[in-house]
Amino acid sequence: MARKTHRAGAPAAPFADDVGPFAATGRSRTEIVFDDEALLGTLFGQFDANLVQMENRLGVFIAARGNRVMIEGLPDEVARARDVLVKMHEKLLTGEELDAGAIDALINMSDEPHLDGIITGDAKLPPIMIRTRKKTISPRSVMQGEYMRLLAKEDVIFALGPAGTGKTYLAVAQAVSQLITGSVQRLILSRPAVEAGEKLGFLPGDMKDKVDPYLRPLYDALYDTMPPEQVERRLASGEIEIAPIAFMRGRTLADAFVILDEAQNTTREQMKMFLTRFGQNSRMVVCGDPRQVDIPGGDRMSGLADAVDRLEGVDGIGVTRFTVADVVRHPIVGRIVEAYEGEDAKP
């Protein structure tokens, strides 16, 4: 994508050293100087695509010359653009990936009072992130930051909200991180084998072949956070187990990180059975969207909302509620969810 030379209503100002408000127009200009020039190509993007993305989202004009970047526009938007650009550079310095989604997330979070507070939670504490073999994951929304804090602290976490908010992905990433560091010995991923509004009929093969189609999203998250050969080796050894919820009955899951996905499709009896599998030195995450119940009887038969009503506020249990504003997939996913559920929909 070729970069625009200027935008409507924001003519390209000459590159200059002066900073501060323009008295006649109410516009502001600021300049950033980056010491590490080696990263500037990645920071700006191919054909300055990253700068164009920021211009389009924030309504500013950005001009780069060497290691100096000038930002011009309305004062609040200039300040946001500067914060985002600095955070982008910091991500690259720490070896994190910088893609369109990561930039969009930083822009979204820059609207909060303190971007640093969202990323770190406290200036004296290290950044909120999850490190896995393949990538380092930072929060892409304010609520993701809160969720990641709970994942590192609470024994049982309920994550509620629409598709695309990172509920399951972040839980799997945290589980992989803890498995790698040895703080848990096993990773157990489960979900109810419920068809989403369609009948698949008889599935050929052994038990693994029959249940794998229902568990595919969990495999996808695993392969995105761990090299394929390690996934296969740990699956073969039993360190990683992926199974439908029916296989959990009668077990005690000790020294394990246990994740239940699509929990809205459990019955109350199944949810009670699953939660009481909790063992010593374990952590459990229950993910689901209360608005997408596929079991017979609908919402009134779902065990997810019932469990949250009973357990929210109990010591050691955390609850995160995502909304449409927290969707971090392609922006159109958020618009689709909003169109179906309404702008103010909450789980």
Side-chain angles (χ1 to χ4, degrees):
M1 176 174 61
R3 178 146 182 245
K4 305 187 300 291
T5 57
H6 66 278
R7 66 171 51 257
F15 196 91
D17 293 334
D18 58 323
V19 295
F22 297 107
T25 63
R27 297 175 69 80
S28 178
R29 177 189 295 159
T30 192
E31 183 181 289
I32 312 173
V33 179
F34 293 100
D35 294 331
D36 191 344
E37 297 189 34
L39 295 175
L40 294 184
T42 306
L43 178 66
F44 298 159
Q46 188 175 21
F47 302 117
D48 290 348
N50 295 345
L51 301 184
V52 173
Q53 183 179 353
M54 292 177 61
E55 286 183 328
N56 291 338
R57 286 290 309 276
L58 295 173
V60 296
F61 173 79
I62 304 176
R65 181 180 297 170
N67 68 331
R68 295 152 63 102
V69 178
M70 187 273 292
I71 307 170
E72 180 185 330
L74 297 176
D76 287 348
E77 305 310 318
V78 167
R80 288 180 65 190
R82 185 185 188 286
D83 287 347
V84 170
L85 202 56
V86 168
K87 281 297 174 187
M88 288 165 59
H89 189 252
E90 289 176 359
K91 279 181 173 288
L92 293 176
L93 286 174
T94 58
E96 294 184 56
E97 295 181 2
L98 193 64
D99 55 21
I103 297 169
D104 260 335
L106 286 173
I107 292 171
N108 290 337
M109 290 192 291
S110 71
D111 201 24
E112 297 295 319
H114 301 288
L115 181 57
D116 284 339
I118 297 167
I119 301 301
T120 65
D122 187 312
K124 298 178 182 178
L125 298 177
I128 301 168
M129 58 179 60
I130 299 172
R131 297 185 185 276
T132 69
R133 286 278 189 259
K134 292 184 71 174
K135 59 175 63 177
T136 298
I137 301 164
S138 298
R140 293 194 171 190
S141 73
V142 178
M143 194 56 67
Q144 277 198 357
E146 295 299 323
Y147 181 41
M148 290 167 72
R149 288 189 185 95
L150 289 180
L151 287 173
K153 182 178 67 172
E154 301 292 357
D155 294 325
V156 179
I157 301 99
F158 289 91
L160 315 177
T165 51
K167 304 183 299 296
T168 304
Y169 185 87
L170 291 176
V172 172
Q174 178 71 21
V176 168
S177 178
Q178 292 194 212
L179 184 65
I180 291 170
T181 59
S183 58
V184 296
Q185 302 303 311
R186 293 183 294 165
L187 169 53
I188 300 174
L189 309 174
S190 183
R191 64 185 285 173
V194 176
E195 296 157 338
E198 55 189 319
K199 298 298 181 182
L200 300 180
F202 174 78
L203 295 175
D206 59 19
M207 182 59 68
K208 182 177 184 298
D209 294 329
K210 294 177 187 295
V211 301
D212 271 1
Y214 300 101
L215 305 170
R216 197 69 248 170
L218 298 174
Y219 282 104
D220 292 342
L222 272 178
Y223 283 109
D224 202 39
T225 53
M226 187 181 287
E229 62 276 8
Q230 287 199 23
V231 175
E232 298 300 332
R233 176 171 58 81
R234 292 175 187 266
L235 282 169
S237 69
E239 288 180 87
I240 299 177
E241 179 183 348
I242 302 180
I245 192 172
F247 286 23
M248 299 295 109
R249 187 173 296 279
R251 303 177 63 182
T252 300
L253 306 176
D255 296 306
F257 198 114
V258 189
I259 300 172
L260 175 62
D261 193 26
E262 298 293 335
Q264 74 276 4
N265 287 327
T266 60
T267 65
R268 295 180 183 183
E269 292 75 17
Q270 285 178 319
M271 180 62 74
K272 179 182 177 182
M273 178 273 292
F274 180 81
L275 293 173
T276 53
R277 301 307 94 200
F278 195 88
Q280 292 293 327
N281 191 38
S282 289
R283 183 157 293 159
M284 185 175 284
V285 183
V286 178
C287 306
D289 180 359
R291 293 176 174 269
Q292 291 191 355
V293 178
D294 299 309
I295 58 175
D299 296 358
R300 63 186 179 84
M301 297 301 295
S302 174
L304 178 60
D306 177 68
V308 172
D309 288 343
R310 294 173 184 270
L311 299 175
E312 187 168 11
V314 173
D315 186 41
I317 294 179
V319 178
T320 300
R321 288 181 171 85
F322 293 97
T323 68
V324 174
D326 300 304
V327 173
V328 294
R329 289 182 189 165
H330 192 285
I332 199 170
V333 176
R335 296 194 289 271
I336 291 171
V337 173
E338 186 176 309
Y340 271 91
E341 298 185 356
E343 184 176 354
D344 297 321
K346 293 184 180 180

